[in-house]
Amino acid sequence: MAGILDLLNSDMGKAIVNGVAGQTNQPESKTNDVLTMALPVLMQAMKRNASSPQGAEGLLNALNSKHDGSILDNLGSLFSGGVDSNVLEDGSKILGHVLGGKQQNVENAIGARAGMDSSSVSNILKVAAPLLMGMLGKQTKENNVNSSSGIESLLGGLLTGNSSQNEQSFLESILDADGDGSVIDDVAGMVLGGSKKKGGLGGLLGGLFGK
């Protein structure tokens, strides 16, 4: 299975980055940096939420109904006249649900690394969150996921399935400027708590979320 960073680097992912950048009036390269950092964090938060039966059931219901992937079928019209306020409102709710009280801290940390103010990061994530849910909805359908263990496994696969090149670029994008390698301290250790763990992106993000 392709990982979430591989999906971000696909043609569809590039169209999303381009559209989100246009919608939020941010440079494409910085938008890509923000999404490269944010999507794995959001996925890990969803995986944590889906570790309870109720959380998994709620996520599955959303992916089988409102977030079934149809939002991705016509990205051109989604972005051409500006993203609908309903989509932005939905994005705001998704972020609140997934990140809870840590949302502001996550946005501040990503903004600090990307060289962008946190309100601009927030705008990018509001547009991107429904699209991420759409990606998950598509993956849920393609992999015939219909159980709580299945959805947790799917999220795990998306976190650990990234090609080494994309995983490396993720790690580089969140390393601090002086290159001391303290990824967790710099990005989300202070944000989300948890111990330092090794083992690639899945292990890193597991550490971020104290798992």
Side-chain angles (χ1 to χ4, degrees), residues 8-194:
L8 189 60
N9 279 311
S10 67
D11 288 344
M12 179 179 71
K14 285 173 184 162
I16 287 172
V17 170
N18 179 272
V20 172
Q23 169 71 22
T24 55
N25 296 315
Q26 293 296 334
E28 207 166 310
S29 60
K30 283 202 172 188
T31 301
N32 188 67
D33 286 348
V34 167
L35 293 178
T36 297
M37 288 185 265
L39 294 188
V41 171
L42 290 172
M43 297 281 300
Q44 183 68 34
M46 285 182 196
K47 184 169 181 283
R48 183 190 55 186
N49 293 347
S51 61
S52 74
Q54 300 91 328
E57 191 178 330
L59 182 56
L60 260 179
N61 288 341
L63 296 176
N64 285 324
S65 52
K66 186 174 188 177
H67 299 289
D68 61 356
S70 53
I71 191 171
L72 302 172
D73 293 340
N74 200 342
L75 289 173
S77 68
L78 175 72
F79 290 121
S80 60
V83 174
D84 187 273
S85 60
N86 290 335
V87 174
L88 296 176
E89 198 176 305
D90 190 34
S92 192
K93 285 180 185 165
I94 292 165
L95 293 172
H97 179 70
V98 170
L99 296 174
K102 298 182 191 293
Q103 182 178 342
Q104 185 69 58
N105 291 349
V106 169
E107 290 168 356
N108 288 343
I110 289 173
R113 295 277 18 99
M116 186 184 288
D117 63 272
S118 61
S119 64
S120 298
V121 172
S122 179
N123 289 337
I124 288 174
L125 297 189
K126 275 180 204 164
V127 182
L131 297 167
L132 173 62
M133 290 292 282
M135 282 185 182
L136 285 179
K138 259 192 181 340
Q139 293 289 323
T140 300
K141 260 196 229 162
E142 286 170 14
N143 292 281
N144 297 317
V145 174
N146 52 22
S147 67
S148 55
S149 61
I151 191 67
E152 205 180 350
S153 167
L154 175 70
L155 289 165
L158 284 165
L159 278 167
T160 57
N162 299 296
S163 68
S164 55
Q165 182 185 356
N166 286 335
E167 192 152 311
Q168 184 61 31
S169 67
F170 166 80
L171 293 170
E172 284 170 3
S173 75
I174 62 174
L175 281 171
D176 61 354
D178 64 14
D180 69 4
S182 57
V183 180
I184 292 177
D185 293 341
D186 280 5
V187 182
M190 56 188 178
V191 174
L192 303 165

